[in-house]
Amino acid sequence: QVQLVESGGGLVQPGGSLKLSCAASGSIVNIYNMEWYRQAPGQQRELVAVISNGGRTNYADSVKGRVTMSRDNAKNTAYLQMNSLKPEDTAVYYCRVIVRTTTSGPTYSYWGQGTQVTVSS
């Protein structure tokens, strides 16, 4: 089993910054993609950013230039630095990881519990 713990959410004023963390633990052999999604009330969950195990990143157009995703492979942790936050960034942010739990077994997808980000004055 793999557990994900997200942290770093909170209330911030427009134009402010937050840094989210997603720490994975458990029976992990390899972590492949690490991803951040968000879901605003009444809306579908959307992909915000993804980082490969090699460090290659991709971002949603809505956050490009304002968000930076990184990872620390030694700590099995992904980060999402969010700057110039806007009210429309308000959502629950979820982390998802693709992992292999045995050397030759399949990969599995795990989700975190989510962390609330509220951007409001």
Side-chain angles (χ1 to χ4, degrees):
Q1 274 287 14
V2 174
Q3 296 79 40
L4 298 180
V5 177
E6 296 141 332
S7 60
L11 173 63
V12 63
Q13 292 187 340
S17 298
L18 282 175
K19 186 174 184 178
L20 308 183
S21 299
C22 170
S25 63
S27 301
I28 298 170
V29 174
N30 279 311
I31 299 180
Y32 297 95
N33 280 7
M34 304 184 81
E35 303 164 348
W36 284 100
Y37 289 76
R38 68 185 181 187
Q39 188 167 20
Q43 304 209 3
Q44 289 189 331
R45 192 171 296 189
E46 62 172 354
L47 179 64
V48 176
V50 57
I51 187 167
S52 70
N53 56 347
R56 185 171 299 176
T57 54
N58 277 295
Y59 302 100
D61 288 343
S62 57
V63 302
K64 206 169 287 184
R66 301 187 295 119
V67 162
T68 302
M69 187 171 183
S70 59
R71 64 190 283 171
D72 184 336
N73 291 329
K75 295 181 179 180
N76 289 339
T77 300
Y79 305 95
L80 189 70
Q81 176 68 49
M82 302 189 293
N83 302 320
S84 302
L85 283 163
K86 305 175 182 180
E88 50 264 44
D89 294 317
T90 296
V92 178
Y93 284 70
Y94 297 91
C95 178
R96 176 177 178 253
V97 298
I98 310 299
V99 304
R100 195 181 299 277
T101 58
T102 59
T103 304
S104 56
T107 57
Y108 296 95
S109 168
Y110 291 91
W111 289 89
Q113 80 287 353
T115 184
Q116 176 71 46
V117 171
T118 302
V119 184
S120 175
S121 55

